Amino acid sequence: MDLDPLLLSRIQFAFVISWHIIFPAFTIGLASYIAVLEGLYFKTNNPTYLRLSKFWIKIFAVSFGMGVVSGIVMSFQFGTNWSEFAYASANFMGPVLSYEVVTAFFLEATFLGVLLFGRDKVPQGAHLLAAIMVAVGTFISSFWILAANSWMQTPAGVEMVDGVFRVTSWIEAIFNPSFPYRLVHMVMAAFLTTGFFVVGVSAWYLLKGRATESARVMLSMTLWLLLVLAPAQVFVGDMHGLNTLEHQPQKVAAMEGNWETQSHAPLLLFAIPDSEAETNHFEIGIPSLASIILKHHADGVVPGLKDWAPEDRPVVGVTFWSFRVMVGIGFLMVAVVLIGLVLRLRGRLFDAAWFHRVCVGMLPLSFVAVLAGWLTTETGRFPWVVHGLMRVEDAVTPALTGGVVLASLLVYIAVYAVVFLAGAYYIVKIIQAGPDREDVPAGEDTQEELRRRPSRPLSAVDQTFDTPE
Amino acid sequence: METIDLTLIWALIIALGVFMYVLMDGFDLGVGILFPYAPGDTARDIMMNTVAPVWDGNETWLVLGGAGLLGAFPMVYSILLPAMYLPVLVMLVALIFRGVAFEFRFKAKQSKWLWDVSFTVGSTLAAFSQGVILGAFIQGFEVVDGAYAGGMFDWLSPFSIMTGLGLVAGYALVGCAWIIMKTTGDVREWAYSIAHRLLYVTLFAIVVVSVWTPLMHDAIAQRWFSLPNFFYFMPVPVITAGLAVVFYRALLQRRDYLPFFCALGLYILSYTGLAISLWPHVIQPDITLWEAASAPESQLFLLLGVLFTLPIILGYTTWTYWVFRGKVTEHSAGYH
């Protein structure tokens, strides 16, 4: 059989990781949002916050569940398909991934139970604590997993002994050169994704004239956050790019579609890179701009792909285009939040229907941006699994046969199609039902509130205000 | 540091992790295995609610097992997983279907039955493939230069099928004991009514595997049946038999908590028996713990973290079990 287990394993890994990353990208931000809503409710007793929190917790539960099950797949992929990589890198990857489990996964999973099912079983403060712990868990998890990924991009603090990496400095290995940039860039991306999701859903409610009160609260508070985050992300992304230029110049060459090492390198807006002919077709570019962005000077020399042997070059076409998609959406986000600010200042934020349509359109795009970003950095690392030290063809499990990997790939495609479509369907249903429909329609929240009052201090004080008698 | 055997400590931690997993996900997988036989839809709702707040934390022990194995015994990780490619695939897919069923089932209306099926089939297949992995692990693997060198179906044997079925029975038993402990009324009556049969089947599986294992490996037979070992290890089967009697009487007397703890005891004893058989080999027949270990600095670095966090994890895990203590009824609230 001519099936190549290496190629199929790569496709399989790309497939399962791409589906997986969608959920963390969403739940990292959402966990914090829920913690904020719970905190606001704790502080103000305003039932709108409770209603919103309950609504988002349902969506969180579905996405977190899908993140967990697709994440378990990830923790076994290394061993099943990349056993040589697993074995060689275990001295670093093993402890780092285990730290993620003991410091983050248990925290998230355990307190999630209390967040979902414990509202009536624990004091409100403990419930808020659970919400905060889940959010903290998502951050700790990002820390470790991005340390692991960044180490594969910019390895440090290790030496190769008898075919395995031995750690010489944990600090250097964990805080490897690209880690701080990637961590900040990814966590902000997660917040942006969640933010645009919330904005998109709120805008949809406003368009439909439903749940107006809740939608306004969500839209307003989230757009404030995004107004800071979206421009900041452009800035962080630029710094991340400069860091990549320093440590993985061939990746930047592929991102820019730049074949010749040159000064006055143009920023290509459009091109079809051709790896065979080592050139681009149909180039449209802005002269010298790539040099200015990367070197802050038109004379700056930008590395070209031809500096590397063909077998050492990244996947140019994918890296080039996914980078453009990510950056394009990033600037679109900035434009949207700025327009939002202008509308807000003119007092028209809640009735500009065209803007709400744009916001709904941004919802899927924010996920596309995360995927495109990861595609850029991962295909840009190719042909290395550990940059400069271990190639992908040396990483794959030797005992694998193409037939078996093809079978597992097809199984994953089929299973993910069913499961994630169903998940998306239920999330859409929750959104359609809306925050105000709740099992407790607006106003009855306060009734439920009253039943729980005795467990809280000052419970008697505002009781009379809430009871419409 | 020479005086402390980090590898041994790690073997104990991984053993604890796997045990926690087998016990904790054991009962919630068991609930899934028994799902279709429950007396009605309300009973199924109640059964699912007994495990819904904790299943996620339970399953995290599996992830810890995987990551910890990579961290402390990378050779085991990188031999076991390729050798078990297909059973691991089945297990993962099964865990996916049963994991999402927790969320989807309560959201679904017409398609609720679909997620019932997904929960049951997922739980059963996950249990079965874990048993198969255990069986193949006892059988041993073909290894050349520290890498798996066998075929993709080497795991398949009558023995591994037997251990697969055995674990399904064992999980169903502990799941049944869990239901007895956590429910009232009809659901609990039904659990009592099937518990005896599950106990017989599980004991039968324990006996068969215990007899079959030494027949496969001479070294293991040697370990158990040579003198004076025979007398040292005799308490394991004797206590198992005694516990089975206690279990049986606890069911007759309709005890609430005792059956669950008897099931727990059976797990510990089977586990001990297994450890006696396999020690000190982590890949049968001839790779020892120390040969499969990661670098000492890695084991130490991870050990510091685990010693610090494990008590905290056990602390808040205990807290959540305490929060959700007591019986679950149809009136118990969820967030759905």
Side-chain angles (χ1 to χ4, degrees), chain B residues 81-95:
Chain B
L81 291 181
M84 290 288 124
Y85 194 91
L86 291 170
V88 166
L89 174 71
V90 172
M91 177 186 81
L92 293 174
V93 168
L95 289 176

Side-chain angles (χ1 to χ4, degrees), chain A residues 61 64 72 75 78-79 81 90-91 94 98-99 102 106-107 109-110 113-114 116-117 166 170 397 404 408 412 423 426 430, chain B residues 53 56 59 67-68 70-71 74 77 82 85 89 92 104 107-108 111 115 294-295 297-298 301-302 305 309 313 316 320 324 335:
Chain A
F64 193 83
I72 294 178
S75 75
F78 293 119
N81 292 69
N91 285 326
S98 302
Y99 265 98
V102 294
F106 278 110
L107 201 67
T110 310
V114 179
L116 297 186
F117 297 95
R166 297 278 298 252
W170 289 100
T397 302
V404 146
S408 63
Y412 280 123
Y426 290 123
I430 297 170
Chain B
D56 199 351
E59 213 153 90
L70 177 66
Y77 183 87
Y85 194 91
L89 174 71
L92 293 174
F104 294 172
K107 307 264 183 296
S111 56
W115 301 114
S294 59
E297 67 273 10
S298 297
F301 176 68
L302 184 53
T309 53
I313 292 169
Y316 60 63
T320 50
F324 297 106
Y335 66 99

Side-chain angles (χ1 to χ4, degrees), chain B residues 208-291:
Chain B
V208 170
V209 173
S210 303
V211 172
W212 202 332
T213 304
L215 288 178
M216 265 191 320
H217 294 287
D218 285 343
I220 295 177
Q222 208 54 52
R223 163 92 27 100
W224 282 91
F225 300 117
S226 66
L227 295 174
N229 285 5
F230 183 72
F231 293 107
Y232 293 152
F233 297 147
M234 205 52 210
V236 177
V238 170
I239 297 175
T240 307
L243 195 63
V245 174
V246 175
F247 201 151
Y248 179 81
R249 292 173 54 99
L251 291 174
L252 278 187
Q253 295 163 352
R254 306 261 152 159
R255 301 284 290 272
D256 249 339
Y257 291 82
L258 195 55
F260 184 76
F261 290 97
C262 288
L264 173 78
L266 286 181
Y267 269 69
I268 293 177
L269 287 159
S270 306
Y271 206 64
T272 311
L274 197 63
I276 292 172
S277 294
L278 300 183
W279 178 266
H281 297 113
V282 274
I283 295 290
Q284 300 295 316
D286 48 26
I287 296 177
T288 66
L289 287 176
W290 294 274
E291 288 163 328

Side-chain angles (χ1 to χ4, degrees), chain A residues 43-352:
Chain A
K43 210 166 169 297
T44 65
N45 256 328
N46 180 346
T48 303
Y49 292 125
L50 176 66
R51 210 160 43 232
L52 287 181
S53 183
K54 283 184 166 183
F55 170 69
W56 287 108
I57 282 175
K58 288 184 197 172
I59 294 178
F60 183 79
V62 174
S63 7
F64 193 83
M66 291 193 289
V68 168
V69 292
S70 60
I72 294 178
V73 171
M74 295 316 307
S75 75
F76 286 89
Q77 281 288 303
F78 293 119
T80 51
N81 292 69
W82 305 99
S83 68
E84 293 289 295
F85 165 68
Y87 184 64
S89 66
N91 285 326
F92 175 70
M93 295 295 263
V96 168
L97 296 179
S98 302
Y99 265 98
E100 184 180 14
V101 181
V102 294
T103 57
F105 289 171
F106 278 110
L107 201 67
E108 293 173 83
T110 310
F111 283 100
L112 181 67
V114 179
L115 179 65
L116 297 186
F117 297 95
R119 200 183 281 280
D120 299 323
K121 291 188 185 283
V122 296
Q124 200 190 354
H127 190 255
L128 172 63
L129 178 78
I132 294 171
M133 284 300 151
V134 172
V136 168
T138 62
F139 287 124
I140 300 176
S141 172
S142 321
F143 176 90
W144 292 110
I145 200 66
L146 288 166
N149 179 273
S150 299
W151 178 83
M152 293 165 72
Q153 305 278 356
T154 54
V158 292
E159 60 176 2
M160 192 71 133
V161 181
D162 299 332
V164 300
F165 295 103
R166 297 278 298 252
V167 179
T168 51
S169 162
W170 289 100
I171 297 287
E172 279 176 35
I174 292 169
F175 294 93
N176 58 77
S178 65
F179 172 56
Y181 300 95
R182 195 181 317 275
L183 177 65
V184 176
H185 197 45
M186 177 59 194
V187 171
M188 285 175 64
F191 271 78
L192 283 168
T193 307
T194 310
F196 276 98
F197 193 100
V198 175
V199 163
V201 169
S202 322
W204 185 78
Y205 286 140
L206 291 177
L207 282 172
K208 295 272 163 190
R210 293 182 38 201
T212 322
E213 157 104 45
S214 305
R216 286 182 178 187
V217 172
M218 290 193 284
L219 185 70
S220 169
M221 72 191 276
T222 314
L223 273 177
W224 278 125
L225 177 74
L226 293 178
L227 184 63
V228 179
L229 280 183
Q233 179 74 318
V234 173
F235 176 70
V236 171
D238 179 54
M239 285 171 56
H240 190 11
L242 295 179
N243 174 267
T244 308
L245 178 65
E246 186 184 341
H247 296 280
Q248 295 174 291
Q250 61 272 59
K251 185 191 284 184
V252 172
M255 283 154 67
E256 299 296 347
N258 190 33
W259 293 92
E260 307 287 346
T261 298
Q262 55 181 324
S263 62
H264 299 277
L267 181 76
L268 300 179
L269 299 177
F270 186 91
I272 300 189
D274 182 340
S275 298
E276 295 288 315
E278 304 190 319
T279 186
N280 298 326
H281 304 297
F282 314 108
E283 268 188 21
I284 304 170
I286 303 170
S288 300
L289 192 55
S291 285
I292 291 171
I293 291 171
L294 289 164
K295 297 285 184 176
H296 301 267
H297 202 284
D299 291 335
V301 176
V302 175
L305 286 160
K306 286 186 183 173
D307 284 5
W308 290 271
E311 67 273 16
D312 290 341
R313 293 174 195 160
V315 191
V316 183
V318 179
T319 312
F320 177 85
W321 272 110
S322 53
F323 178 63
R324 262 144 201 78
V325 169
M326 174 190 75
V327 172
I329 296 173
F331 280 110
L332 213 54
M333 288 175 168
V334 175
V336 170
V337 297
L338 290 178
I339 294 169
L341 179 66
V342 172
L343 289 173
R344 190 198 292 268
L345 293 176
R346 290 184 182 172
R348 293 189 46 230
L349 184 58
F350 300 129
D351 27 56

